[in-house]
Amino acid sequence: MNTRSLLILSVIALTLVLYLAFSGLDKPGSKQLQEMRQQLFVFNADLINHMEVSGIEETVLLERGDQSQWSMEKPEQYPADRARIDRVLTELEFARRVATIELEQFENPQETLRQFGLAEPRVELKFRDDEHAYHLKIGNETARKGNYYAQIKATAKSEVIVVSQEIKSLIDTEMDSWRSKRIFDFDTTSVTAVRLKNGGADVELINEENQWMIARPYSGTTEPTTVISYLGGMLAARIDSFAPGGSVQLPEYGLNTPQVSLEIVIGDQSETLNIGNALESQNNLFYAQVSSKNAVFQLRSELVDQVKGLLQRVREKRILTQEMNEISSLEIQNNGSGWSVAKHAENWHFASDNKQAESETIQTFYTALSEVKGVDFFEKSDQNRDEFKLNSPEWSMLFTAVTNEVNDSEEKKNREIRISVAQDGFRYVESDYSEFLIKVPADSFPLFPPSRLSWSVRKLELPRADTWQSIAWDVGEATLKIARTGSGQWQNKWNGREIDQSFLKRQIDLLGKLEIIERVEVDPASVTDGLVLNIIADDQEFELQLSQPDNRFCVIVLNGDPEGYFVNEQDYQLLAVFPLAHSSRASE
């Protein structure tokens, strides 16, 4: 082969390679073509806007409207089940045929179609978008159980195929399966009122500037988020089944005079759910209807109870609704004795002597009390107060709330809570925060403080150690006193003996964070047999009397205060040692 022939062959080969490469860029490969041939249809489910399902008895016509909402137009108008329609279209979009039958191979194609059940199909589905139409007929079952003869048509092309049982079951369903099982369809944030008629009892809730209030049967507040939760429950509620028959016989179902009516109001529009009689055959099912729809359906008794329980669900059940940051003082009484605390800046102090109270303990108690909820409600009457022993309560609490008015002046509001003794596992509460006497499980209350000691600060109220000017130990006749020098350092020697600075720092640190076991009432005159520490700070004197340890504890009294402290014996032993080099017990 000469050079010229080689050159010609090379050009031909290169041309062929380039042709194959570029001509095949926009065409599917053989595997992709094979998969496309196995598909029932090639379409975009998001574009389908019309569906028609025909069975032996009826035809269901479905249309997609604004905002992709589907509705049933035939055999009657009703919202369609969008989730079901989306599932059908999605599965059809990816559905595969089991086999393809060449109809031309049969001697009489029309007779073959009849034998396949495709002349009068079991079920037919027509669907389309704005440009294309698709048609699926499903006929008889094939000799291989679980497969069915089918005929598909997209544009002008028609094929006879075999499909699986799953494809048939997907569309061969009753009309009710295409209807939406949702009862309501609204935006909870747009609801302006909720009205319930339950026998002779009327309940009305009104949304006032995003705050839900009870307008009937009394004026009051609702528990936060409960109305939204109730409305969310109504949105999630589903119809159990539809009543049989095409005609609506309201008297037959008890819907001409419904037992229960729930109206959801959105602006100047509303939707009402009416609930009628229970089914004679099943007492746990009730007939119901929504005002804008003709169909009668059935609801389970659990959902009916949920609808009827509106007031119980949303009413304020808490005995205390004031936020703690709005409280300026709290007075507590227990069988005639009590104490009060008031807030100064961020800390609580006892009103009687201005001693600091344990703010965290008060916060914990208040938070737990504000979470207590009632289980039953009674009229505020003298008879009920007497019956529930609220005329002589075991506990009473008076809260003072300070609110700033428009003119920036402070207004004080007192609110009282009275709590009865426990009776058969319950306590009864009369609260200024509620329009009713409230029955509360006794074990839902926090532990009540038995005395003011429970709220007393559980630490020695000493000044900061860097302000101390001197500290002295006194154990009987043994005494030691050391002071700071002009440079601010503790003196190095006492009576010629060296001060152990490290041990002294340890003792001072201990006094700053001493672990208090318990606050106790004590007679300061009785604490005489132990150690006395005298601390001078900012020209003020602080005297600590420590008793001899007893049963691993000792008592500390600060400045003769009748409220003392229990501390561990080990802490006493550490404090009772003189901070001298090679020192032994202070008593020595």
Side-chain angles (χ1 to χ4, degrees), residues 176-190:
D176 288 347
S177 69
W178 299 98
R179 294 202 277 196
S180 173
K181 295 290 184 70
R182 297 185 67 171
I183 301 172
F184 291 110
D185 188 6
F186 56 80
D187 179 5
T188 57
T189 61
S190 300

Side-chain angles (χ1 to χ4, degrees), residues 40-87:
L40 265 65
F41 302 103
V42 178
F43 67 95
N44 186 342
D46 293 334
L47 301 179
I48 301 302
N49 52 34
H50 175 97
M51 289 180 65
E52 184 178 322
V53 184
S54 301
I56 296 175
E57 297 181 354
E58 57 192 358
T59 297
V60 176
L61 178 61
L62 305 165
E63 297 279 357
R64 191 201 293 262
D66 295 338
Q67 299 178 346
S68 297
Q69 295 297 322
W70 283 90
S71 63
M72 178 186 291
E73 301 299 325
K74 291 182 180 180
E76 62 181 46
Q77 285 193 331
Y78 200 85
D81 188 342
R82 177 179 173 179
R84 170 167 173 71
I85 294 171
D86 288 346
R87 182 171 65 86

